[in-house]
Amino acid sequence: MCLAIPMQIQSIDGLTARCEAKGVERDVSLLMLLDDPPVVGDFVKVSLGNAIEKVSEQDARLAWELFDQILAELGGGG
């Protein structure tokens, strides 16, 4: 099992996207999404440095709300 984090694409350079979530930016490989390439502004699930699936903005925000709830209950803030 792995955890995929929703992130929004800020820029794309070839097969690498600069993505952001909650103020954190990462370079992410788009290689796994060649059949349905994302564009700037899209939300993607990121796992181990790879965008593995496009998701809606609503699904991305819902996932972050759930992550924030879990962290708050564990005492890790949000």
Side-chain angles (χ1 to χ4, degrees):
M1 175 192 277
C2 68
L3 178 65
I5 303 297
M7 300 185 85
Q8 185 175 29
I9 296 176
Q10 303 297 309
S11 63
I12 297 174
D13 182 12
L15 292 176
T16 302
R18 187 70 174 173
C19 297
E20 185 272 335
K22 299 183 80 72
V24 176
E25 293 189 0
R26 295 283 185 263
D27 288 330
V28 173
S29 171
L30 299 177
L31 188 61
M32 295 179 72
L33 298 180
L34 288 178
D35 290 339
D36 187 16
V39 297
V40 172
D42 280 351
F43 288 82
V44 292
K45 287 183 185 177
V46 177
S47 179
L48 300 172
N50 296 288
I52 59 172
E53 180 181 17
K54 290 198 295 187
V55 295
S56 70
E57 180 177 357
Q58 180 180 355
D59 286 346
R61 298 207 185 285
L62 177 60
W64 275 111
E65 288 174 14
L66 292 172
F67 292 151
D68 286 344
Q69 259 186 313
I70 292 167
L71 288 173
E73 289 180 20
L74 293 174

